[in-house]
Amino acid sequence: MKKNLIVLILSFIALNLITESTTGQTTADKFARGSHTFKGTSLPYRIFIPEGMDINKKYPLVLALHGLGERGSDNNLQITVNKMATSWAEPLSQSKNPCYVIAPQLSTTYSDWTVLPIRDVLLNMVDSALTKYNIDTERVYITGLSLGGNGTWNCLCVRPDLFAAAVPIAGWGNTWQVALIKDIPIWNFHGQSDNVVAVSNSRNMIEAYAAQGVDAVFTNCYYVDTRIMPLTKLTNEIKAHSSLFYTELYGYTHDVWSYAYNYKAMFDWVFSKRKFIKNAINLTSLVKDTTVQGSIPIKWKTIYPNDSVEIWFKSERQAYWKMLTKVKADQKIFSWNTDVENECIYGKLRMCLLDSNSRVYSQSESALIKIDLAGNGKPYGKLKTPAFYKYKEILSKSLNVNYIANDVESDSVRIYISYSTNGGKTYSKIDSAKVPANNTMKMRNIAFSNLINTKTGVLKLTVYDKNGSSSADSTISFSNQLGVYPTSTPLTKLNNGYSISEPYPNPANHLCTISIEIPVTSDVNLFVYNTLGQLIIQKNEGIRNSGKQTIQLKTDQLQNGIYYYTVVFGSINKSKIVQDSKKLNVQH
């Protein structure tokens, strides 16, 4: 009886703990109700006040703008439907970054946050809170999802003087206003498959920043490359005070905020920001493109000499920012030994001004720095055409491929452009040229209509210097469906010593035989494509001795229709690879 009673008590305690931790009401209940009126228009809101706060300290404020579905008059939906507001007020978040959180609720009378008079009431509410509470006016942040994401972008443009950082999620903004807000740190989230607010809205904003000279840190996309940035690199970009992040999530539709508001790195990044002060620090050396060797002076001027300066360096040769030094701002000069760095063509210094709490509030970046060490270094090559990354398919029969090819020691370099139909496993050279080795963007026109159709195309740029050293860069896999079928590469033009027969029988039902003749021992591979150039079957036939051979191709799994098969011969004794293709008709 006693044992059963203990079990019952423990079960009751566990049930209450589970109920309290899973209802999601505990944090929401800590938001006090309020309403703000300005020029006759009222806006209800909920506010979270940091618990146990020191009245002698100032705390940051997070303004959280909800989406379309949370509009209403209950002053509750905006903090209970999702974690948009409560994520900042949860105990774990508050223990590390205590802050105020204000979550207003938009009436169904208004279509969005940008319409007047509601936007004026919203911003006046924030101004009023700054005078009423112990809020650090240098650390006011704004976030919003969907409709609130649009409100976030709009509020930034209307009051760029108010906010220290912003997190718009699945929203949209005005690209022509980016020049007004380019200095405000942004972390933008969007779902790649958003079926409510098209992902192009966020992509357009990121491109507008690039046009203003502000490049984004893509945490896992550009734009449809789904590789995730390693945590070590993400942490490095945050420590180096990068100000624009873009996270586009593969597989997510509109509710990408379910990921964003659980993303710890984003919270740490936000709270490291202070309101930006333009020209609070400026480099006075390395302001023009420069070639350097040995020790060089880095000079700067600042109107805040008592704070600290961090100097970071990054080039095309390194994936991570390297902090060169952290010194008092009034030092105004630092001697940099460039001989300990990697030789590079595109190096850049980032100088950050930080307060006593290590929060950055101003930056200055150098012009391009070329480091020329003793000896011969590798040339640099980079494909710059974004179409492969944006769409993953070639939409025209020819495309101007932009690239950079440079070398520290050479006046000119030799470039080769190669094409792969199998995801980068093998390549065929399709273009070459001798070009000047300089920092200008270069271009080659590639006729994709002359290349074999494929769903797994890759383009590679290889750059050689005068001493034979090389470096290469390649695109992600893309689709080329405007080219030719594999039959365009007749074997007789490649090597008369090889031959393949027409399939027998043709049309084929369940099985067909292909006869081949090989002059030397070769590795034999069979590829079968449909009429769109999509690879259907890939089969390695192994090493075959010279002479006449046969290949058995099972066709019982293929649907009725026309196919093309390609036999690729890889010679053991020679590096040359030859191939031939034939047409196959399948009829069951």
Side-chain angles (χ1 to χ4, degrees), residues 283 298 300 309-313 322-327 333-334 349-352:
L283 278 161
I298 302 173
W300 65 88
V309 165
E310 288 182 359
I311 304 176
W312 296 78
F313 175 71
K322 174 185 177 182
M323 189 167 78
L324 301 180
T325 189
K326 183 175 182 179
V327 296
I333 188 170
F334 171 72
L349 290 175
R350 175 183 291 171
M351 177 168 287
C352 304

Side-chain angles (χ1 to χ4, degrees), residues 275-377:
K275 191 186 299 182
F276 190 85
I277 302 177
K278 193 175 182 65
N279 296 323
I281 191 165
N282 282 299
L283 278 161
T284 56
S285 63
L286 302 172
V287 294
K288 295 182 179 179
D289 292 1
T290 309
T291 300
V292 299
Q293 292 177 325
S295 293
I296 61 168
I298 302 173
K299 300 178 182 179
W300 65 88
K301 62 180 180 179
T302 180
I303 57 177
Y304 295 98
N306 294 325
D307 281 337
S308 299
V309 165
E310 288 182 359
I311 304 176
W312 296 78
F313 175 71
K314 188 179 182 183
S315 76
E316 82 281 357
R317 305 293 190 186
Q318 60 195 76
Y320 295 84
W321 287 94
K322 174 185 177 182
M323 189 167 78
L324 301 180
T325 189
K326 183 175 182 179
V327 296
K328 292 287 290 183
D330 62 0
Q331 182 171 310
K332 297 182 181 179
I333 188 170
F334 171 72
S335 181
W336 178 29
N337 181 15
T338 63
D339 287 341
V340 301
E341 308 298 338
N342 294 320
E343 188 171 78
C344 70
I345 296 164
Y346 291 107
K348 180 169 281 193
L349 290 175
R350 175 183 291 171
M351 177 168 287
C352 304
L353 185 61
L354 292 85
D355 64 18
S356 57
N357 293 306
S358 295
R359 299 187 185 106
V360 63
Y361 63 95
S362 195
Q363 290 187 359
S364 180
E365 291 194 346
S366 71
L368 294 178
I369 299 170
K370 179 189 292 186
I371 299 177
D372 186 4
L373 302 179
N376 179 61

Side-chain angles (χ1 to χ4, degrees), residues 264-511:
K264 177 181 176 296
M266 180 270 287
F267 289 85
D268 293 339
W269 175 85
V270 165
F271 288 109
S272 72
K273 303 303 178 185
R274 234 187 73 172
K275 191 186 299 182
F276 190 85
I277 302 177
K278 193 175 182 65
N279 296 323
I281 191 165
N282 282 299
L283 278 161
T284 56
S285 63
L286 302 172
V287 294
K288 295 182 179 179
D289 292 1
T290 309
T291 300
V292 299
Q293 292 177 325
S295 293
I296 61 168
I298 302 173
K299 300 178 182 179
W300 65 88
K301 62 180 180 179
T302 180
I303 57 177
Y304 295 98
N306 294 325
D307 281 337
S308 299
V309 165
E310 288 182 359
I311 304 176
W312 296 78
F313 175 71
K314 188 179 182 183
S315 76
E316 82 281 357
R317 305 293 190 186
Q318 60 195 76
Y320 295 84
W321 287 94
K322 174 185 177 182
M323 189 167 78
L324 301 180
T325 189
K326 183 175 182 179
V327 296
K328 292 287 290 183
D330 62 0
Q331 182 171 310
K332 297 182 181 179
I333 188 170
F334 171 72
S335 181
W336 178 29
N337 181 15
T338 63
D339 287 341
V340 301
E341 308 298 338
N342 294 320
E343 188 171 78
C344 70
I345 296 164
Y346 291 107
K348 180 169 281 193
L349 290 175
R350 175 183 291 171
M351 177 168 287
C352 304
L353 185 61
L354 292 85
D355 64 18
S356 57
N357 293 306
S358 295
R359 299 187 185 106
V360 63
Y361 63 95
S362 195
Q363 290 187 359
S364 180
E365 291 194 346
S366 71
L368 294 178
I369 299 170
K370 179 189 292 186
I371 299 177
D372 186 4
L373 302 179
N376 179 61
K378 288 185 176 182
Y380 175 66
K382 188 71 176 176
L383 286 163
K384 288 289 187 177
T385 303
F388 302 105
Y389 298 94
K390 289 183 186 179
Y391 311 112
K392 291 190 76 173
E393 60 183 353
I394 304 304
L395 301 177
S396 60
K397 291 187 176 182
S398 66
L399 183 70
N400 289 332
V401 175
N402 299 317
Y403 68 95
I404 294 172
N406 204 344
D407 183 54
V408 174
E409 292 89 8
S410 304
D411 294 328
S412 63
V413 290
R414 171 67 64 176
I415 65 108
Y416 293 90
I417 296 178
S418 304
Y419 177 68
S420 172
T421 61
N422 54 17
K425 295 178 182 177
T426 58
Y427 288 91
S428 298
K429 185 178 72 175
I430 58 174
D431 189 27
S432 66
K434 185 178 181 180
V435 299
N438 54 38
N439 290 339
T440 60
M441 187 81 76
K442 303 171 179 65
M443 182 271 290
R444 303 293 292 180
N445 184 267
I446 304 300
F448 282 90
S449 59
N450 295 333
L451 302 177
I452 295 176
N453 283 341
T454 179
K455 279 287 189 179
T456 55
V458 177
L459 213 62
K460 181 172 73 173
L461 169 73
T462 306
V463 182
Y464 288 90
D465 66 13
K466 60 184 179 181
N467 296 308
S469 295
S470 67
S471 63
D473 184 47
S474 59
T475 67
I476 62 171
S477 185
F478 59 85
S479 171
N480 174 24
Q481 298 301 302
L482 297 176
V484 296
Y485 300 123
T487 51
S488 63
T489 313
L491 177 141
T492 53
K493 291 184 178 180
L494 295 172
N495 193 314
N496 289 326
Y498 296 82
S499 68
I500 69 172
S501 70
E502 298 289 341
Y504 179 81
N506 192 15
N509 185 358
H510 300 295
L511 182 71

Side-chain angles (χ1 to χ4, degrees), residues 73-84:
S73 57
D74 65 350
N75 202 3
N76 194 53
L77 286 175
Q78 75 272 31
I79 62 170
T80 56
V81 170
N82 50 57
K83 291 181 62 175
M84 175 202 62

